[in-house]
Amino acid sequence: MRYRRQTALKEFGIEGQEKLIRSKVLVVGAGGLGCPVLQYLSAAGVGTIGIIDFDKVELTNLHRQPLFGMDDIGKFKAEVASIKLSSLNPEIKFDVYKIKLSSANALELINAFDVVIDGTDNFSSRYMINDACVLLNKPLVYGAVLGFEGQVGVFNLVDKNNGIAANYRDLYPQPPQPNSVPSCNENGVLGVLPGIIGTMQAAEAIKIITGIGSPLRNIIVSYNVLNNFYYEITISPLKSKRIKFPKTKSEFNNYDYEWFCGEVYKHHEITLEEFDILRKNDDINIIDVREIEELTDSTEFSCIKIPLSRFKESLSKLNTNNTIVVICQTGKRSLTAVKLIKDEFPECKAYSLQGGISEWKKHNQNNPV
Amino acid sequence: MEINILAFGQVAEITGKTNWSVPYVKDTGELRVLLEKSYPRLQSIEFAIAVNKKLISDNSELNDKDVVALLPPFSGG
Protein backbone atom coordinates (compact mmCIF):
# COMPACT_ATOMS: atom_id res chain seq x y z
CA MET A 1 0.00 0.00 0.00
CA ARG A 2 2.60 2.49 1.24
CA TYR A 3 4.83 2.17 -1.83
CA ARG A 4 2.11 1.74 -4.47
CA ARG A 5 2.83 5.03 -6.27
CA GLN A 6 6.43 4.05 -6.92
CA THR A 7 5.97 0.31 -7.52
CA ALA A 8 3.46 1.38 -10.19
CA LEU A 9 6.40 2.74 -12.19
CA LYS A 10 7.24 -0.01 -14.64
CA GLU A 11 11.02 0.67 -14.45
CA PHE A 12 10.87 0.45 -10.66
CA GLY A 13 8.17 -2.12 -9.88
CA ILE A 14 7.92 -4.56 -6.97
CA GLU A 15 11.46 -5.65 -7.77
CA GLY A 16 12.85 -2.13 -7.20
CA GLN A 17 10.97 -1.91 -3.92
CA GLU A 18 12.40 -5.22 -2.74
CA LYS A 19 15.90 -4.05 -3.58
CA LEU A 20 15.35 -0.92 -1.49
CA ILE A 21 13.97 -2.91 1.46
CA ARG A 22 17.01 -5.22 1.44
CA SER A 23 19.48 -2.32 1.16
CA LYS A 24 21.51 -0.58 3.86
CA VAL A 25 22.45 3.07 3.45
CA LEU A 26 24.73 5.05 5.74
CA VAL A 27 24.07 8.80 5.96
CA VAL A 28 27.02 10.69 7.42
CA GLY A 29 25.81 13.99 8.85
CA ALA A 30 22.17 14.74 9.68
CA GLY A 31 22.37 18.42 8.74
CA GLY A 32 21.29 20.45 5.71
CA LEU A 33 22.09 17.66 3.24
CA GLY A 34 21.42 14.76 5.61
CA CYS A 35 17.86 15.81 6.50
CA PRO A 36 16.33 15.56 3.01
CA VAL A 37 18.41 12.45 2.28
CA LEU A 38 17.07 10.78 5.42
CA GLN A 39 13.49 11.88 4.83
CA TYR A 40 13.31 10.64 1.25
CA LEU A 41 15.21 7.39 1.84
CA SER A 42 13.01 6.58 4.84
CA ALA A 43 9.88 7.43 2.88
CA ALA A 44 11.03 5.38 -0.11
CA GLY A 45 11.58 2.30 2.05
CA VAL A 46 15.35 1.76 2.29
CA GLY A 47 15.39 -1.15 4.79
CA THR A 48 18.27 -0.12 7.03
CA ILE A 49 19.47 3.45 7.44
CA GLY A 50 22.53 4.39 9.49
CA ILE A 51 22.61 7.93 10.84
CA ILE A 52 25.92 9.33 12.10
CA ASP A 53 26.03 12.76 13.71
CA PHE A 54 27.52 13.86 17.00
CA ASP A 55 25.98 17.36 16.82
CA LYS A 56 22.97 18.73 18.60
CA VAL A 57 20.15 20.76 17.04
CA GLU A 58 20.65 24.54 17.14
CA LEU A 59 18.26 27.38 16.29
CA THR A 60 20.45 28.42 13.31
CA ASN A 61 20.02 24.90 11.81
CA LEU A 62 16.26 25.15 11.42
CA HIS A 63 16.16 27.28 8.25
CA ARG A 64 17.66 24.41 6.26
CA GLN A 65 16.98 21.33 8.40
CA PRO A 66 13.18 21.15 8.49
CA LEU A 67 13.26 17.66 9.99
CA PHE A 68 13.86 19.42 13.32
CA GLY A 69 11.66 21.78 15.32
CA MET A 70 11.94 24.19 18.24
CA ASP A 71 11.44 21.41 20.80
CA ASP A 72 14.49 19.58 19.46
CA ILE A 73 17.02 22.34 20.16
CA GLY A 74 19.82 20.94 22.31
CA LYS A 75 19.01 17.31 21.48
CA PHE A 76 21.20 14.96 19.43
CA LYS A 77 20.34 15.25 15.73
CA ALA A 78 20.82 11.55 15.06
CA GLU A 79 18.45 10.61 17.86
CA VAL A 80 15.73 13.17 17.00
CA ALA A 81 15.98 12.20 13.32
CA SER A 82 15.50 8.50 14.03
CA ILE A 83 12.41 9.18 16.18
CA LYS A 84 10.77 11.45 13.57
CA LEU A 85 11.67 9.16 10.69
CA SER A 86 10.32 6.11 12.56
CA SER A 87 6.98 7.84 12.78
CA LEU A 88 7.18 8.60 9.04
CA ASN A 89 7.98 4.95 8.29
CA PRO A 90 8.01 2.39 11.14
CA GLU A 91 9.14 -0.34 8.73
CA ILE A 92 12.69 1.05 8.59
CA LYS A 93 15.49 -0.08 10.88
CA PHE A 94 17.59 2.88 12.03
CA ASP A 95 21.15 2.48 13.32
CA VAL A 96 21.89 5.60 15.32
CA TYR A 97 25.49 6.70 15.97
CA LYS A 98 25.93 9.80 18.14
CA ILE A 99 29.65 9.77 17.49
CA LYS A 100 32.23 11.51 15.34
CA LEU A 101 33.33 9.44 12.37
CA SER A 102 37.10 8.95 12.70
CA SER A 103 39.80 6.96 10.98
CA ALA A 104 39.60 4.56 13.94
CA ASN A 105 35.90 3.70 13.47
CA ALA A 106 35.10 4.60 9.84
CA LEU A 107 36.02 1.32 8.15
CA GLU A 108 34.06 -0.84 10.57
CA LEU A 109 31.00 1.42 10.39
CA ILE A 110 30.98 1.88 6.62
CA ASN A 111 31.62 -1.80 5.94
CA ALA A 112 28.18 -2.72 7.30
CA PHE A 113 26.40 -0.68 4.58
CA ASP A 114 25.88 -0.92 0.81
CA VAL A 115 25.88 2.78 -0.09
CA VAL A 116 27.34 5.78 1.75
CA ILE A 117 26.02 9.33 1.58
CA ASP A 118 28.32 12.21 2.44
CA GLY A 119 26.37 15.01 4.11
CA THR A 120 29.24 16.32 6.21
CA ASP A 121 30.41 19.91 6.49
CA ASN A 122 34.21 19.76 6.54
CA PHE A 123 37.06 18.64 4.30
CA SER A 124 38.73 16.17 6.66
CA SER A 125 35.51 14.12 6.90
CA ARG A 126 35.03 14.27 3.15
CA TYR A 127 38.53 12.95 2.40
CA MET A 128 38.20 10.31 5.12
CA ILE A 129 34.83 9.03 3.87
CA ASN A 130 36.11 9.00 0.29
CA ASP A 131 39.25 7.01 1.16
CA ALA A 132 37.26 4.54 3.30
CA CYS A 133 34.80 3.96 0.45
CA VAL A 134 37.67 3.42 -1.99
CA LEU A 135 39.27 0.86 0.36
CA LEU A 136 35.99 -0.95 1.01
CA ASN A 137 34.73 -0.63 -2.56
CA LYS A 138 31.49 1.11 -1.58
CA PRO A 139 29.64 3.59 -3.80
CA LEU A 140 29.69 7.10 -2.34
CA VAL A 141 27.07 9.74 -3.06
CA TYR A 142 28.79 13.08 -2.57
CA GLY A 143 27.09 16.41 -2.01
CA ALA A 144 28.35 19.82 -0.86
CA VAL A 145 26.92 23.33 -0.72
CA LEU A 146 28.04 26.88 -0.18
CA GLY A 147 26.13 30.11 -0.62
CA PHE A 148 23.91 29.60 -3.65
CA GLU A 149 25.89 26.76 -5.27
CA GLY A 150 26.00 23.04 -4.73
CA GLN A 151 27.84 20.00 -6.03
CA VAL A 152 26.60 16.43 -6.30
CA GLY A 153 28.19 13.31 -7.74
CA VAL A 154 28.71 9.58 -7.35
CA PHE A 155 32.17 8.23 -6.63
CA ASN A 156 33.64 4.77 -6.64
CA LEU A 157 30.92 3.23 -8.76
CA VAL A 158 32.35 1.40 -11.77
CA ASP A 159 31.15 2.46 -15.20
CA LYS A 160 30.73 -0.92 -16.91
CA ASN A 161 31.38 0.60 -20.34
CA ASN A 162 34.94 1.66 -19.58
CA GLY A 163 35.76 0.12 -16.18
CA ILE A 164 36.35 3.58 -14.66
CA ALA A 165 35.48 4.43 -11.04
CA ALA A 166 36.73 7.89 -10.14
CA ASN A 167 36.65 9.36 -6.64
CA TYR A 168 36.96 12.66 -4.75
CA ARG A 169 40.79 12.49 -4.84
CA ASP A 170 40.66 12.53 -8.63
CA LEU A 171 38.66 15.76 -8.52
CA TYR A 172 40.54 17.41 -5.65
CA PRO A 173 43.81 15.54 -4.98
CA GLN A 174 44.67 17.81 -2.09
CA PRO A 175 42.57 19.81 0.31
CA PRO A 176 42.48 23.60 0.07
CA GLN A 177 44.65 25.60 2.43
CA PRO A 178 43.05 25.76 5.87
CA ASN A 179 40.62 28.66 6.17
CA SER A 180 40.83 29.46 2.44
CA VAL A 181 37.32 28.06 1.84
CA PRO A 182 34.61 29.56 4.01
CA SER A 183 32.09 27.25 5.69
CA CYS A 184 28.30 27.67 5.65
CA ASN A 185 28.68 29.01 9.21
CA GLU A 186 30.90 31.84 7.99
CA ASN A 187 29.61 32.39 4.47
CA GLY A 188 25.95 31.46 4.80
CA VAL A 189 23.79 29.20 2.67
CA LEU A 190 20.31 29.63 1.21
CA GLY A 191 18.19 27.15 3.18
CA VAL A 192 16.51 25.53 0.20
CA LEU A 193 19.83 24.75 -1.54
CA PRO A 194 20.92 21.77 0.64
CA GLY A 195 17.29 20.65 0.29
CA ILE A 196 17.75 20.46 -3.47
CA ILE A 197 21.22 18.91 -3.40
CA GLY A 198 20.30 16.46 -0.60
CA THR A 199 17.21 15.36 -2.51
CA MET A 200 19.41 14.77 -5.58
CA GLN A 201 21.72 12.65 -3.39
CA ALA A 202 18.73 10.59 -2.23
CA ALA A 203 17.67 10.10 -5.87
CA GLU A 204 21.20 8.95 -6.78
CA ALA A 205 21.20 6.43 -3.92
CA ILE A 206 17.83 5.02 -5.05
CA LYS A 207 19.10 4.73 -8.64
CA ILE A 208 22.28 2.95 -7.50
CA ILE A 209 20.34 0.48 -5.34
CA THR A 210 17.55 -0.32 -7.78
CA GLY A 211 19.69 -0.18 -10.92
CA ILE A 212 17.33 2.16 -12.77
CA GLY A 213 18.45 5.13 -14.86
CA SER A 214 22.00 6.47 -14.97
CA PRO A 215 23.55 7.53 -11.66
CA LEU A 216 26.07 10.39 -11.77
CA ARG A 217 28.97 7.95 -11.81
CA ASN A 218 32.27 9.69 -12.55
CA ILE A 219 30.34 12.93 -12.94
CA ILE A 220 30.21 16.00 -10.75
CA VAL A 221 27.26 18.32 -11.16
CA SER A 222 27.47 21.95 -10.21
CA TYR A 223 24.13 23.66 -9.59
CA ASN A 224 23.45 27.35 -8.96
CA VAL A 225 20.07 28.03 -7.38
CA LEU A 226 20.07 31.74 -8.34
CA ASN A 227 20.13 31.23 -12.10
CA ASN A 228 19.36 27.49 -12.31
CA PHE A 229 22.70 26.95 -14.05
CA TYR A 230 23.40 23.23 -14.14
CA TYR A 231 26.80 22.02 -15.33
CA GLU A 232 28.17 18.46 -15.52
CA ILE A 233 31.86 17.62 -15.53
CA THR A 234 33.19 14.13 -16.26
CA ILE A 235 35.94 12.97 -13.90
CA SER A 236 38.58 10.46 -14.88
CA PRO A 237 41.13 8.88 -12.54
CA LEU A 238 44.27 10.97 -12.04
CA LYS A 239 47.23 9.67 -13.99
CA SER A 240 49.77 10.74 -11.43
CA LYS A 241 48.71 10.20 -7.84
CA ARG A 242 50.68 13.04 -6.38
CA ILE A 243 49.27 12.78 -2.91
CA LYS A 244 49.67 9.60 -0.96
CA PHE A 245 46.46 8.25 0.41
CA PRO A 246 45.92 5.11 2.45
CA LYS A 247 46.12 1.90 0.44
CA THR A 248 45.55 -0.54 3.31
CA LYS A 249 43.26 -0.66 6.31
CA SER A 250 46.12 -0.14 8.74
CA GLU A 251 47.41 2.86 6.79
CA PHE A 252 43.88 4.25 6.90
CA ASN A 253 43.59 3.74 10.67
CA ASN A 254 46.78 5.71 11.17
CA TYR A 255 46.06 8.46 8.65
CA ASP A 256 45.56 11.82 10.30
CA TYR A 257 42.84 13.52 8.25
CA GLU A 258 42.55 16.61 10.39
CA TRP A 259 46.28 17.14 9.99
CA PHE A 260 46.09 16.45 6.25
CA CYS A 261 43.44 19.17 5.92
CA GLY A 262 45.40 21.57 8.12
CA GLU A 263 42.70 21.58 10.79
CA VAL A 264 44.98 20.69 13.71
CA TYR A 265 48.33 22.11 12.73
CA LYS A 266 49.27 23.00 16.29
CA HIS A 267 48.64 19.52 17.70
CA HIS A 268 51.83 18.43 16.05
CA GLU A 269 54.04 20.39 18.35
CA ILE A 270 55.36 18.97 21.59
CA THR A 271 56.40 20.87 24.67
CA LEU A 272 59.88 20.76 26.21
CA GLU A 273 58.55 18.51 28.99
CA GLU A 274 56.98 16.11 26.52
CA PHE A 275 60.23 16.10 24.58
CA ASP A 276 62.23 15.10 27.67
CA ILE A 277 59.84 12.21 28.28
CA LEU A 278 59.96 11.10 24.64
CA ARG A 279 63.77 11.26 24.64
CA LYS A 280 63.93 8.45 27.18
CA ASN A 281 62.25 6.23 24.61
CA ASP A 282 64.48 4.21 22.25
CA ASP A 283 62.11 4.40 19.30
CA ILE A 284 62.56 8.10 18.68
CA ASN A 285 64.56 9.80 15.98
CA ILE A 286 65.52 13.40 16.53
CA ILE A 287 66.18 15.44 13.41
CA ASP A 288 67.90 18.82 13.53
CA VAL A 289 66.89 20.88 10.48
CA ARG A 290 69.15 23.87 11.11
CA GLU A 291 71.63 24.70 8.35
CA ILE A 292 75.18 23.37 8.78
CA GLU A 293 76.69 26.82 9.39
CA GLU A 294 74.33 27.37 12.33
CA LEU A 295 75.40 24.26 14.19
CA THR A 296 77.92 25.90 16.48
CA ASP A 297 76.48 24.50 19.70
CA SER A 298 76.46 20.89 20.77
CA THR A 299 73.31 19.22 22.01
CA GLU A 300 73.33 16.62 24.74
CA PHE A 301 71.38 14.16 22.68
CA SER A 302 72.18 12.46 19.43
CA CYS A 303 70.34 13.65 16.38
CA ILE A 304 70.31 13.32 12.64
CA LYS A 305 71.26 16.53 10.88
CA ILE A 306 69.22 17.30 7.77
CA PRO A 307 69.11 21.04 6.94
CA LEU A 308 65.64 22.24 5.94
CA SER A 309 67.05 23.39 2.58
CA ARG A 310 67.79 19.75 1.76
CA PHE A 311 64.90 18.21 3.66
CA LYS A 312 62.58 17.37 0.78
CA GLU A 313 65.08 15.25 -1.11
CA SER A 314 66.04 13.41 2.09
CA LEU A 315 62.47 12.43 2.97
CA SER A 316 62.69 9.01 1.36
CA LYS A 317 65.59 8.07 3.67
CA LEU A 318 63.67 8.71 6.88
CA ASN A 319 62.80 5.85 9.18
CA THR A 320 59.11 6.59 9.59
CA ASN A 321 58.41 3.56 11.79
CA ASN A 322 59.88 5.43 14.74
CA THR A 323 58.47 8.55 16.30
CA ILE A 324 60.23 11.57 14.84
CA VAL A 325 60.89 14.81 16.70
CA VAL A 326 62.13 17.66 14.53
CA ILE A 327 64.07 20.48 16.12
CA CYS A 328 65.47 23.82 14.93
CA GLN A 329 66.58 27.03 16.63
CA THR A 330 63.14 28.43 17.54
CA GLY A 331 60.57 25.81 16.48
CA LYS A 332 59.36 27.38 13.24
CA ARG A 333 61.35 25.57 10.58
CA SER A 334 60.82 22.30 12.44
CA LEU A 335 57.07 22.76 12.03
CA THR A 336 57.56 23.20 8.28
CA ALA A 337 59.62 20.02 8.21
CA VAL A 338 56.93 18.10 10.11
CA LYS A 339 54.38 19.26 7.54
CA LEU A 340 56.65 17.92 4.78
CA ILE A 341 56.97 14.58 6.57
CA LYS A 342 53.22 14.31 7.14
CA ASP A 343 52.43 15.19 3.51
CA GLU A 344 54.63 12.32 2.37
CA PHE A 345 53.96 9.90 5.27
CA PRO A 346 50.59 10.84 6.75
CA GLU A 347 50.70 7.87 9.13
CA CYS A 348 54.10 8.81 10.61
CA LYS A 349 54.18 10.16 14.17
CA ALA A 350 56.19 13.35 13.72
CA TYR A 351 56.37 16.30 16.08
CA SER A 352 58.03 19.67 16.15
CA LEU A 353 59.73 20.83 19.34
CA GLN A 354 58.02 24.00 20.54
CA GLY A 355 60.43 26.87 21.10
CA GLY A 356 63.30 24.92 19.53
CA ILE A 357 66.83 24.46 20.84
CA SER A 358 67.03 27.94 22.31
CA GLU A 359 64.09 27.30 24.64
CA TRP A 360 65.29 23.79 25.40
CA LYS A 361 68.69 25.14 26.54
CA LYS A 362 67.05 27.68 28.83
CA HIS A 363 64.76 25.01 30.21
CA ASN A 364 67.70 22.68 30.88
CA GLN A 365 69.68 25.33 32.70
CA ASN A 366 66.77 25.63 35.08
CA ASN A 367 66.04 21.91 35.19
CA PRO A 368 69.38 20.08 34.82
CA VAL A 369 68.90 16.58 33.43
CA MET B 1 40.29 32.90 -31.60
CA GLU B 2 39.11 32.83 -28.03
CA ILE B 3 38.61 30.68 -24.94
CA ASN B 4 35.39 30.76 -22.92
CA ILE B 5 35.69 30.70 -19.15
CA LEU B 6 33.08 29.47 -16.67
CA ALA B 7 33.75 30.31 -13.02
CA PHE B 8 32.11 28.72 -9.99
CA GLY B 9 31.98 29.44 -6.27
CA GLN B 10 34.96 31.28 -4.90
CA VAL B 11 36.55 31.65 -8.33
CA ALA B 12 33.49 33.60 -9.50
CA GLU B 13 33.61 35.62 -6.30
CA ILE B 14 37.25 36.59 -6.97
CA THR B 15 36.81 37.34 -10.67
CA GLY B 16 33.46 39.04 -10.18
CA LYS B 17 31.85 37.18 -13.09
CA THR B 18 30.66 33.69 -13.95
CA ASN B 19 31.36 33.58 -17.67
CA TRP B 20 33.49 35.53 -20.10
CA SER B 21 35.95 35.09 -22.97
CA VAL B 22 39.68 35.66 -23.17
CA PRO B 23 41.91 35.82 -26.25
CA TYR B 24 43.22 32.38 -27.30
CA VAL B 25 46.08 30.83 -25.30
CA LYS B 26 47.65 27.54 -26.30
CA ASP B 27 47.15 25.49 -23.11
CA THR B 28 45.61 25.45 -19.64
CA GLY B 29 48.97 26.27 -18.03
CA GLU B 30 49.17 29.54 -19.96
CA LEU B 31 45.53 30.27 -19.20
CA ARG B 32 46.18 29.83 -15.50
CA VAL B 33 49.11 32.25 -15.60
CA LEU B 34 46.97 34.77 -17.48
CA LEU B 35 44.09 34.48 -15.02
CA GLU B 36 46.36 34.67 -11.98
CA LYS B 37 47.91 37.82 -13.40
CA SER B 38 44.49 39.45 -13.73
CA TYR B 39 43.19 38.04 -10.44
CA PRO B 40 46.14 37.42 -8.06
CA ARG B 41 43.85 36.02 -5.34
CA LEU B 42 43.33 32.95 -7.53
CA GLN B 43 46.86 31.90 -6.55
CA SER B 44 45.76 31.26 -2.99
CA ILE B 45 42.85 28.94 -3.70
CA GLU B 46 42.47 25.43 -5.07
CA PHE B 47 40.25 24.72 -8.05
CA ALA B 48 39.68 21.90 -10.49
CA ILE B 49 39.87 22.67 -14.22
CA ALA B 50 37.64 21.10 -16.86
CA VAL B 51 38.00 21.59 -20.60
CA ASN B 52 34.79 21.06 -22.55
CA LYS B 53 33.18 19.38 -19.51
CA LYS B 54 36.06 16.95 -18.95
CA LEU B 55 38.23 17.25 -15.88
CA ILE B 56 41.93 17.64 -16.65
CA SER B 57 44.79 17.04 -14.22
CA ASP B 58 47.83 17.97 -16.30
CA ASN B 59 48.53 20.87 -18.62
CA SER B 60 46.20 20.45 -21.59
CA GLU B 61 46.19 21.91 -25.05
CA LEU B 62 43.38 24.34 -25.87
CA ASN B 63 41.54 24.95 -29.12
CA ASP B 64 39.57 27.92 -30.37
CA LYS B 65 36.18 28.25 -28.58
CA ASP B 66 37.00 25.68 -25.89
CA VAL B 67 35.03 26.09 -22.67
CA VAL B 68 37.20 26.01 -19.55
CA ALA B 69 35.39 25.57 -16.23
CA LEU B 70 37.08 26.52 -12.93
CA LEU B 71 35.52 24.60 -10.06
CA PRO B 72 36.69 25.18 -6.48
CA PRO B 73 35.91 22.68 -3.70
CA PHE B 74 33.00 23.27 -1.29
CA SER B 75 32.69 21.61 2.06
CA GLY B 76 29.36 22.88 3.41
CA GLY B 77 26.54 20.55 4.29
Side-chain angles (χ1 to χ4, degrees):
Chain A
M1 246 334 236
R2 174 184 284 272
Y3 305 115
R4 190 174 287 170
R5 293 293 182 274
Q6 67 191 21
T7 52
L9 296 163
K10 68 177 190 321
E11 298 84 351
F12 190 90
I14 303 283
E15 202 185 315
Q17 194 59 53
E18 279 169 356
K19 284 181 183 166
L20 281 189
I21 290 168
R22 285 196 303 269
S23 70
K24 298 175 173 180
V25 177
L26 179 66
V27 181
V28 189
L33 295 168
C35 281
V37 168
L38 287 165
Q39 285 172 293
Y40 276 101
L41 292 187
S42 303
V46 167
T48 303
I49 299 179
I51 312 173
I52 307 184
D53 202 313
F54 65 97
D55 251 344
K56 293 173 180 164
V57 179
E58 292 176 29
L59 182 61
T60 55
N61 297 149
L62 301 186
H63 90 295
R64 66 185 189 287
Q65 300 172 23
L67 184 56
F68 309 124
M70 291 300 287
D71 295 344
D72 303 320
I73 290 171
K75 296 180 188 163
F76 281 104
K77 288 183 178 180
E79 213 158 58
V80 175
S82 76
I83 294 166
K84 301 216 171 172
L85 297 166
S86 297
S87 114
L88 165 69
N89 190 347
E91 292 169 16
I92 312 294
K93 176 176 175 282
F94 293 100
D95 293 339
V96 176
Y97 305 97
K98 292 176 286 183
I99 53 169
K100 193 172 183 334
L101 195 70
S102 71
S103 48
N105 62 27
L107 292 177
E108 201 183 332
L109 271 168
I110 289 174
N111 202 28
F113 293 86
D114 307 316
V115 176
V116 180
I117 301 199
D118 180 354
T120 60
D121 61 0
N122 60 83
F123 286 108
S124 60
S125 299
R126 292 186 181 284
Y127 279 95
M128 179 168 66
I129 293 166
N130 177 74
D131 292 356
C133 287
V134 171
L135 271 176
L136 297 169
N137 210 13
K138 304 277 182 188
L140 169 62
V141 185
Y142 160 86
V145 290
L146 189 66
F148 301 105
E149 277 180 72
Q151 296 175 341
V152 57
V154 174
F155 297 134
N156 213 34
L157 183 66
V158 177
D159 181 342
K160 291 193 179 78
N161 295 321
N162 54 18
I164 287 175
N167 67 72
Y168 191 59
R169 297 260 190 181
D170 296 312
L171 180 62
Y172 298 116
Q174 53 190 351
Q177 289 296 312
N179 304 322
S180 72
V181 179
S183 68
C184 289
N185 295 351
E186 299 150 7
N187 186 84
V189 61
L190 192 69
V192 69
L193 176 67
I196 295 169
I197 299 293
T199 308
M200 289 173 81
Q201 287 181 281
E204 291 306 307
I206 289 169
K207 281 153 60 183
I208 293 168
I209 295 162
T210 58
I212 62 170
S214 319
L216 291 168
R217 52 162 77 85
N218 305 325
I219 290 173
I220 187 98
V221 164
S222 182
Y223 173 76
N224 185 322
V225 70
L226 286 186
N227 52 19
N228 284 305
F229 189 61
Y230 177 101
Y231 199 73
E232 281 188 8
I233 289 172
T234 307
I235 310 168
S236 34
L238 269 189
K239 284 183 213 106
S240 53
K241 302 272 183 198
R242 277 163 297 195
I243 302 293
K244 293 201 169 173
F245 62 93
K247 300 283 192 305
T248 64
K249 292 179 181 179
S250 86
E251 275 178 35
F252 179 89
N253 289 334
N254 291 316
Y255 198 99
D256 191 337
Y257 283 90
E258 289 177 341
W259 167 266
F260 173 67
C261 294
E263 289 164 11
V264 286
Y265 202 57
K266 287 223 143 73
H267 291 197
H268 291 264
E269 286 180 314
I270 54 167
T271 62
L272 301 163
E273 289 79 11
E274 287 165 336
F275 178 56
D276 283 336
I277 296 166
L278 269 179
R279 244 171 2 102
K280 297 191 178 103
N281 190 332
D282 288 341
D283 299 334
I284 166 179
N285 289 346
I286 304 170
I287 303 175
D288 190 335
V289 293
R290 290 178 296 173
E291 302 300 315
I292 303 294
E293 59 274 17
E294 287 177 81
L295 299 174
T296 49
D297 51 357
S298 61
T299 45
E300 290 136 71
F301 45 83
S302 63
C303 54
I304 311 159
K305 294 177 171 53
I306 311 174
L308 188 62
S309 56
R310 290 195 278 116
F311 202 76
K312 247 187 181 161
E313 57 261 35
S314 312
L315 275 174
S316 58
K317 291 175 210 138
L318 292 183
N319 175 0
T320 52
N321 295 324
N322 288 357
T323 298
I324 294 176
V325 177
V326 186
I327 59 173
C328 68
Q329 194 65 29
T330 64
K332 282 194 183 124
R333 283 173 289 171
S334 51
L335 203 51
T336 307
V338 167
K339 181 87 176 89
L340 291 172
I341 297 173
K342 297 288 279 192
D343 283 347
E344 191 67 20
F345 309 102
E347 67 279 15
C348 174
K349 290 185 173 60
Y351 303 97
S352 159
L353 177 63
Q354 239 171 35
I357 291 292
S358 58
E359 284 301 312
W360 185 81
K361 291 216 170 221
K362 278 189 227 161
H363 164 80
N364 267 18
Q365 276 162 9
N366 303 335
N367 310 280
V369 185
Chain B
M1 298 259 283
E2 60 180 17
I3 303 293
N4 301 308
I5 315 276
L6 284 179
F8 295 87
Q10 261 188 309
V11 177
E13 232 167 77
I14 290 171
T15 58
K17 46 195 171 187
T18 54
N19 78 69
W20 70 100
S21 301
V22 295
Y24 177 78
V25 284
K26 73 173 184 344
D27 55 36
T28 51
E30 265 189 30
L31 180 67
R32 203 180 176 121
V33 171
L34 182 85
L35 290 169
E36 287 179 354
K37 213 169 140 192
S38 311
Y39 310 100
R41 276 180 61 209
L42 289 180
Q43 287 168 30
S44 59
I45 65 163
E46 291 281 330
F47 52 89
I49 299 178
V51 178
N52 300 332
K53 299 195 167 185
K54 286 195 173 63
L55 185 80
I56 55 131
S57 47
D58 300 312
N59 192 14
S60 299
E61 200 184 305
L62 291 172
N63 295 305
D64 184 28
K65 303 254 180 329
D66 275 353
V67 177
V68 179
L70 312 172
L71 194 73
F74 302 167
S75 71

